[in-house]
Amino acid sequence: MKIFKVIKTLVSTNRIATLEHKPLLVVTDKEGGTPQVAVDPVGCTPGDWVLCVGSSAARDASGVKGYPSDLTIVGIIDKWEPEA
């Protein structure tokens, strides 16, 4: 698992059918690195710090074994302050 911050929502009107209607969010790590897209099955909002899983764990966490995700949010962090 890795910690990311939700930056904004991502709107994609054209999707393959297996993506269903799960929300997509743009996230970045605490250093503000390269933005990544994560599937959000838990209901996050911009500014939230979240726990994410990748690879096959991301597909499993989405709730559908064959889901085409490489990064899925599995939890919202209630209180956490990144190191300076």
Side-chain angles (χ1 to χ4, degrees), residues 14-81:
N14 291 323
R15 299 181 184 200
I16 58 173
T18 53
L19 271 176
E20 301 172 357
H21 288 87
K22 292 187 182 350
L24 302 174
L25 299 175
V26 178
V27 298
T28 187
D29 60 18
K30 64 182 179 179
E31 285 86 24
T34 305
Q36 298 183 51
V37 176
V39 175
D40 177 21
V42 297
C44 302
T45 58
D48 285 345
W49 286 98
V50 295
L51 294 173
C52 293
V53 293
S55 193
S56 62
R59 290 186 292 279
D60 292 343
S62 70
V64 180
K65 205 108 163 113
Y67 195 81
S69 174
D70 193 41
L71 189 64
T72 300
I73 296 170
V74 294
I76 301 170
I77 300 172
D78 293 325
K79 184 174 182 178
W80 182 72
E81 307 241 350

